[in-house]
Amino acid sequence: MSRPKHSNQNPGFSKLKNSPQKLHSTLTIMGLLIGLWYLPAWFSGFLDKGPQTTYGFTLATFFVCFGLYHLWRQKKQVTQLKATHVERRLGHFLILVGVLLFPIGRLALWSQAILWASILIGIALSNWGWQFYRQQPLILLSFLAIAYPRPAAAARSLWEAFTPYEILERVMANAGAWVLRLFNWPATASESFVNVPQGSVDVYWDCNGFDMALTVIAASLVVGLSRKQSRLQILSFMGVGIVVALLFNISRVVLMTIALVHWGDRWLNFWQGSLGSLLFSGCVLAAYYLIVTNITPKTTQVSIN
């Protein structure tokens, strides 16, 4: 007389395992719930102006709007993509890793960002496969860029990790002193300081032009896509933008030094503050737009989709 075999597996797990669509939906929902859990910490980091500069805040806002806009614009093409069995399994694995490790990674914002990025990659991979990454790289990069709510701070960390100490600050100080000497000002540079007889101006991180260059890079995407340029042309726009941002930043260093000499610390603090930075960034973006729109035709036949 035989006895029926009893499975040791959980009945709910067995049903999920035998129904791939239910398993996929369950894992996707779990991943999105982790996103909701991460959202308060993300907003706190996004709105915290301590480690986040004005340019960093602008950059993060840009990537949020840019990613959502292009996802909505390309929704028909995206929904037509289908993941293979292997791609779906790999995506599920990435989601599970993020979901299981997220409670442990709550101790730091950067670890939450990495795990949330893993979940985002897994959701996209399990739904649309590798074709999504090949066809929609801008959408992917936009959302990955804001997985950590301080993209400019993250870029700064990478820059400082792979470049000599205060290299950009020293370049700006030396360039500013050189321009002042062209106009017969007795200016010298030592480390990140521009020295004149009346005092010294410290070219610290917020005044080295790096954040402005990042903002112009983001603007290059907008200009390039609006004018339907190729990827190579957009990269050239970025190169032009970086040069424009750094050249204008040298003039800003010169202006701050002149402000120190003729108008004192009050005007120096103004040009180093938020309002002075906004005026400066407005001039940079206006100059950049005029240059780019005059060196490229209004429309081309090449699309970046």
Side-chain angles (χ1 to χ4, degrees):
M1 187 173 182
S2 61
R3 295 181 180 178
K5 292 184 179 180
H6 296 281
S7 173
N8 292 326
Q9 289 184 336
N10 185 291
F13 178 79
S14 298
K15 289 181 180 179
L16 286 176
K17 187 176 180 181
N18 295 325
S19 177
Q21 188 57 42
K22 285 185 178 180
L23 176 62
H24 172 68
S25 300
T26 301
L27 288 174
T28 301
I29 291 172
M30 289 172 62
L32 294 176
L33 288 175
I34 291 295
L36 290 176
W37 192 4
Y38 174 48
L39 193 60
W42 189 92
F43 266 114
S44 177
F46 177 71
L47 298 174
D48 185 2
K49 297 303 290 289
Q52 176 118 289
T53 63
T54 301
Y55 297 124
F57 186 86
T58 303
L59 197 65
T61 304
F62 164 79
F63 279 122
V64 170
C65 298
F66 185 84
L68 291 174
Y69 169 74
H70 278 276
L71 184 60
W72 175 259
R73 186 182 178 188
Q74 302 292 335
K75 65 180 184 298
K76 288 184 178 179
Q77 292 89 328
V78 171
T79 53
Q80 291 174 357
L81 299 174
K82 300 296 180 184
T84 65
H85 177 75
V86 174
E87 291 169 340
R88 178 158 290 191
R89 290 299 186 193
L90 181 56
H92 290 170
F93 173 75
L94 292 173
I95 295 172
L96 271 175
V97 168
V99 169
L100 294 176
L101 294 182
F102 193 84
I104 303 173
R106 291 279 294 171
L107 297 176
L109 186 62
W110 64 266
S111 59
Q112 295 178 73
I114 291 174
L115 294 171
W116 172 235
S118 172
I119 292 171
L120 284 177
I121 294 172
I123 290 174
L125 183 60
S126 62
N127 279 280
W128 307 306
W130 292 113
Q131 286 293 328
F132 174 76
Y133 301 127
R134 286 193 288 266
Q135 294 182 16
Q136 308 295 341
L138 293 177
I139 297 176
L140 174 68
L141 291 175
S142 296
F143 283 111
L144 290 181
I146 58 169
Y148 185 71
R150 302 166 187 159
R156 173 181 179 176
S157 298
L158 290 174
W159 172 266
E160 292 180 337
F162 294 102
T163 59
Y165 177 69
E166 290 189 342
I167 180 64
L168 193 54
E169 291 88 333
R170 293 167 185 257
V171 169
M172 289 293 110
N174 279 278
W178 178 77
V179 171
L180 287 168
R181 287 196 296 271
L182 289 179
F183 295 95
N184 296 321
W185 283 63
T188 60
S190 58
E191 297 182 348
S192 62
F193 290 88
V194 178
N195 304 308
V196 292
Q198 293 83 356
S200 299
V201 173
D202 182 11
V203 185
Y204 53 87
W205 176 264
D206 290 347
C207 299
N208 68 2
F210 183 87
D211 287 343
M212 188 65 232
L214 287 180
T215 304
V216 177
I217 288 173
S220 301
L221 284 174
V222 175
V223 174
L225 291 172
S226 65
R227 299 174 69 84
K228 298 182 179 179
Q229 303 297 304
S230 67
R231 289 187 177 91
L232 183 60
Q233 288 169 317
I234 291 177
L235 287 175
S236 68
F237 288 174
M238 292 179 181
V240 170
I242 291 171
V243 171
V244 170
L246 295 181
L247 288 177
F248 266 79
N249 197 69
I250 293 171
S251 65
R252 184 187 184 193
V253 171
V254 172
L255 182 60
M256 288 192 300
T257 306
I258 294 174
L260 172 66
V261 172
H262 287 287
W263 305 307
D265 292 341
R266 180 181 176 184
W267 282 100
L268 173 63
N269 294 331
F270 170 80
W271 287 110
Q272 289 180 326
S274 298
L275 183 56
S277 296
L278 288 174
L279 291 173
F280 165 71
S281 60
C283 293
V284 173
L285 291 173
Y288 167 73
Y289 183 77
L290 288 174
I291 292 171
V292 168
T293 53
N294 281 281
I295 64 175
T296 57
K298 290 186 178 181
T299 58
T300 67
Q301 297 300 318
V302 182
S303 175
I304 195 172
N305 290 336

